[in-house]
């Protein structure tokens, strides 16, 4: 049934495609077409084994490459494991030897330069070129026969009177260095796009739709093995296969060696190749070491996508110099500002590099680096490129300065004593840190909002529904239910868990704020010592350092965190939303505790002014409109102006809204 439906869909869609693309006479509406197409895609996802090469899905996509035919490799095209040192190379074969129960020195090895191009499999049937395919994902590649046929080093007929029935020759297509230079010179003259390296040039050329252009470019092919074959082939060694391929008319990889697997043999071979590298006509990015005996290869087999009998020892980072154009500062998830070098783009270690990390300000100082200098870039394997040293001082040098405020949220940037890192103190309000903060805040060890997991936080954050931890408390049923995969019931569960989490402990709340260096244990000690939130928020570095086990860095981080008004405003909102820590408040009796006092409210508060006033009055205070010497306390909200200044001049006590709420709202109701 399904096969039939699938076949019908393919036939139908192909017919419509033909009418649309070839005859220019559409038969159905776009919407109808799309719905059939979607059905086809669903079938193919559910039954991948059904997927047919004739399926129109195989050519869906925007890029022109999708128009090439897909080719499935009967024998998978594998990749190679990488080694970046002599030790890694040796231990790769030591492991193989162990598995084969042999001494590493007894392994028959074969080395070949690792050509820097792209893998191609060329199929010959009864000695004639049949097709050529790219590696693709190893299983399915693309038919690039029309382009490969233009490569003169690829025989169209094998030089063998009795060729095998089927033979897939596998190797690397690459552009020699000289051809690459010529191509880029031409591109510069014509003002057209330049390729960044020979590998990209080769790949770009192979993806040409028109073989006429490919033929104009000097591509080459060198085999390194075989894929599927049928017929009279009886080889004992990999090197015999390579010799056979040479006899069939293929080019040979230069500088191959047969040797045994001792540590010193690897070292000698590597040294020799590293010296040859720059003198070779083509780019090579390492050396491939293979166990030569095919029977041993078979015993070892594969792991993941690479053989256990071959490894690529990659050449180390190439050192290339380029001018430092500027330095930007990136704010990480934890608020640390990392200087990033913006470079004049250069080709190094196989890619074009235009950014590199500078780690921190100490590193910049160590390098003696200024904007305008010429710097050396290192890159090894997949490692992020880094600036290694200054090779020439710039003519117009500009010092690299850490910004005073965060490039993302404008909060103050501070350096923690004794540490190299500078941090944005915006904590809760900095969007670069927000998602991580929210995740931390809701986590089990913090507010323990059980139904608010990482995935959901990401969804809510990406949808703009929560920007800070305070926004968790303004979420509504409709907000959550609107998100994918959340029905009303699960939305209600989420809201319920938020509600349940509101009653917590002061130490837990403090941990949840995610202040650098303040973890669960230190938060407990601090909470135990200060007892109330306002006492913590108002404490000085010296006072905090009185707390056992709390050092100067933690103390400074705490003070900097609470000095940032944006953080305080967020906490105020959270407390106003009902987050409380009832058991830790030690006030004996709440009723009339402010009797006879005169209070003033100023600035913007997150709870209605009337509510705050009523609260103060219920505790016995009078709420006045202006500040005088008689005022006992001023509650200063956001953007408090002249009243705050006056209070400060008169030396009247001032507390912010968070402290006010924590002190008076966040307390157990008096039963009496
Ligand atoms: S052997 C089963 N030999 O490197 C092992 N690969 O990183 C098949 N390459 O996909 C690969 N020169 O495209 C082998 N002499 C060489 C090579 C070589 C270049 C490429 C090849 C492969 C990639 C793996």
């Amino acid at each position: 049934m399904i096969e039939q439906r699938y076949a019908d869909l393919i036939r139908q869609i192909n017919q419509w495609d033909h009418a649309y693309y070839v005859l220019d006479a559409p038969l159905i509406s776009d919407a109808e077409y799309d719905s059939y197409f979607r059905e086809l895609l669903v079938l193919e996802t559910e039954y991948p084994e059904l997927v047919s090469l004739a399926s129109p899905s195989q050519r869906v996509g925007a890029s022109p490459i999708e128009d090439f035919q897909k080719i499935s490799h009967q024998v998978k095209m594998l990749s190679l494991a990488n080694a970046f040192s002599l030790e890694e190379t040796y231990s790769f074969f030591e492991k193989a030897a162990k598995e084969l129960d042999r001494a590493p020195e007894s392994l028959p090895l074969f080395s070949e330069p690792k050509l820097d191009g792209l893998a191609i499999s060329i199929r010959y049937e009864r000695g004639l070129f049949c097709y050529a395919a790219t590696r693709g994902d190893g299983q399915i590649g693309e038919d690039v026969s029309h382009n490969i046929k233009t490569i003169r080093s690829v025989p169209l007929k094998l030089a063998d009177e009795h060729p095998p029935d089927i033979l897939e020759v596998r190797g690397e297509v690459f552009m020699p260095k000289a051809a690459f230079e010529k191509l880029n010179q031409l591109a510069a003259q014509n003002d057209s796009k330049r390729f960044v390296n020979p590998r990209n040039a080769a790949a770009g050329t192979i993806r040409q739709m028109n073989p006429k252009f490919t033929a104009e470019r000097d591509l080459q092919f060198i085999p390194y093995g075989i894929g599927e074959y049928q017929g009279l082939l009886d080889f004992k060694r990999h090197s015999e296969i390579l010799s056979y391929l040479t006899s069939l008319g293929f080019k040979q990889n230069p500088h191959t060696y047969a040797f045994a697997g001792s540590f010193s043999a690897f070292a000698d071979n590597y040294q020799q190749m590293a010296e040859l590298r720059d003198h070779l006509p083509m780019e090579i990015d390492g050396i491939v070491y293979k166990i030569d005996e095919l029977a041993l290869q078979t015993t070892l087999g594969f792991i993941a996508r690479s053989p256990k009998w071959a490894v690529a020892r990659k050449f180390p980072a190439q050192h290339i110099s380029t001018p430092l154009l500027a330095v930007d500062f990136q704010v990480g998830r934890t608020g640390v500002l990392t200087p990033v070098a913006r470079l004049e783009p250069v080709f190094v270690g196989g890619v074009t590099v235009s950014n590199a990390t500078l780690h921190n300000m100490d590193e910049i100082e160590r390098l003696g680096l200024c904007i305008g200098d010429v710097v050396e870039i290192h890159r090894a394997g997949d490692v992020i490129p880094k600036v290694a040293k200054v090779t020439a001082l710039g003519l117009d040098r500009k010092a690299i300065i850490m910004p005073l405020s965060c490039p993302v949220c404008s909060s103050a940037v501070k350096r923690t004593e004794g540490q190299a890192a500078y941090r944005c103190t915006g904590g809760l309000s900095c969007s670069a840190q927000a998602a991580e903060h929210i995740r931390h805040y809701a986590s089990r060890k913090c507010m323990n909002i059980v139904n608010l997991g990482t995935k959901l936080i990401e969804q809510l954050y990406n949808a703009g529904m929560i920007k800070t931890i305070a926004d968790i408390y303004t979420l509504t049923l409709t907000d959550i239910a609107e998100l994918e995969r959340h029905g009303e019931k699960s939305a209600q569960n989420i809201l319920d868990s938020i509600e349940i989490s509101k009653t917590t402990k002061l130490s837990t709340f403090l941990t949840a704020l995610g202040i650098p260096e303040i973890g669960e244990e230190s938060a407990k000690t601090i909470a135990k010592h200060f007892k109330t939130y306002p006492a913590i928020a108002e404490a000085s570095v010296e006072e905090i350092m009185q707390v056992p086990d709390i050092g100067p860095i933690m103390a400074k981080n705490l003070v900097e965190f609470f000095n940032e008004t944006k953080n305080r405003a967020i906490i105020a909102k959270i407390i106003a939303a009902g987050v409380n820590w009832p058991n830790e408040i030690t006030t004996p009796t709440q009723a009339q505790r402010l009797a006879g006092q005169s209070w003033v409210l100023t600035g913007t508060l997150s709870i209605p002014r009337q509510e705050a006033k009523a609260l103060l009055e219920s505790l016995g205070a009078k709420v006045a409109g202006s500040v005088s010497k008689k005022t006992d306390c001023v509650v200063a909200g956001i953007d408090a102006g002249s009243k705050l200044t006056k209070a400060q001049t008169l030396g009247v006590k001032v507390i912010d809204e968070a402290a006010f709420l924590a002190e008076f709202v966040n307390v157990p109701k008096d039963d009496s």
Side-chain angles (χ1 to χ4, degrees), residues 36-266:
Y36 282 97
F37 209 105
R38 266 198 303 276
E39 186 186 344
L40 178 86
L41 293 179
V42 167
L43 275 187
E44 291 189 344
T45 322
E46 280 176 16
Y47 305 95
E49 69 281 4
L50 283 187
V51 176
S52 152
L53 285 177
S55 164
S57 69
Q58 303 298 304
R59 52 178 160 167
V60 177
S63 54
I65 189 69
E66 290 293 333
D67 292 328
F68 288 109
Q69 285 293 321
K70 302 279 177 191
I71 284 189
S72 139
H73 303 297
Q74 292 310 307
V75 174
K76 256 201 200 175
M77 287 184 80
L78 298 160
S79 191
L80 289 170
N82 288 327
F84 292 98
S85 67
L86 188 58
E87 289 72 21
E88 275 180 40
T89 316
Y90 186 75
S91 70
F92 180 89
F93 288 106
E94 216 173 17
K95 224 161 113 192
K98 202 165 168 199
E99 204 168 323
L100 294 168
D101 203 15
R102 292 175 63 141
E105 306 81 54
S106 77
L107 287 180
L109 295 181
F110 193 78
S111 78
E112 298 163 30
K114 186 170 186 300
L115 305 162
D116 201 7
L118 64 151
I120 294 286
S121 180
I122 310 175
R123 185 179 176 97
Y124 292 86
E125 289 186 5
R126 284 176 296 281
L128 288 175
F129 182 103
C130 182
Y131 59 73
T134 59
R135 193 170 87 107
D137 63 3
Q139 208 129 34
I140 295 186
E142 278 143 347
D143 187 343
V144 287
S145 309
H146 60 306
N147 286 332
I148 297 299
K149 273 197 212 169
T150 69
I151 302 175
R152 296 183 188 236
S153 50
V154 171
L156 293 178
K157 185 173 188 296
L158 299 177
D160 186 343
E161 280 190 17
H162 303 287
D165 289 343
I166 290 172
L167 178 66
E168 281 178 5
V169 180
R170 291 183 172 175
E172 201 84 345
V173 165
F174 60 91
M175 186 175 283
K177 288 174 188 166
F180 171 71
E181 293 303 331
K182 213 172 85 190
L183 182 66
N184 266 354
Q185 269 168 21
L186 211 69
Q189 279 166 19
N190 300 337
D191 229 10
S192 57
K193 196 176 152 270
R194 298 181 49 163
F195 287 105
V196 290
N197 58 47
R199 174 156 41 81
N200 281 10
T205 306
I206 286 301
R207 276 167 176 70
Q208 285 279 347
M209 300 299 288
N210 190 342
K212 185 168 154 272
F213 299 125
T214 316
E216 287 167 6
R217 294 184 186 170
D218 179 14
L219 288 185
Q220 292 195 0
F221 175 82
I222 290 183
Y224 50 66
I226 58 175
E228 187 187 355
Y229 72 88
Q230 272 173 31
L232 290 172
L233 292 182
D234 183 24
F235 299 112
K236 300 264 178 298
R237 286 175 176 257
H238 166 74
S239 51
E240 286 171 15
I241 295 178
L242 291 190
S243 304
Y244 172 64
L245 293 176
T246 309
S247 78
L248 293 179
F250 288 94
K251 248 177 110 78
Q252 219 175 351
N253 201 336
H255 311 290
T256 58
Y257 298 96
F259 62 107
S262 75
F263 201 79
S264 61
F266 282 117

Side-chain angles (χ1 to χ4, degrees), residues 404-413 424-431 433 437 467-471 513 533 559-574 606 636-639 656-658:
L404 294 174
S405 57
C406 170
V408 175
C409 73
S410 315
S411 300
V413 168
C424 159
T425 57
L428 304 180
S429 67
C430 180
S431 66
Q433 303 166 58
H437 257 299
K467 295 196 176 76
T468 74
I469 52 178
D471 298 335
L513 293 178
Y533 167 79
V559 169
E560 273 164 8
F561 181 88
F562 289 112
N563 274 351
E564 188 56 63
T565 42
K566 289 185 197 154
N567 290 339
R568 289 215 182 203
I570 288 169
I571 295 171
K573 279 197 208 161
I574 292 173
S606 56
I638 308 251
D639 296 330
D656 73 358
E657 192 195 354

Side-chain angles (χ1 to χ4, degrees), residues 505-515 518 523 526-527 536 558 562:
K505 289 192 201 157
L506 177 58
S507 61
T508 310
F509 183 68
L510 192 59
T511 316
L513 293 178
I515 302 167
I518 309 295
I526 294 165
I536 298 171
L558 265 173
F562 289 112

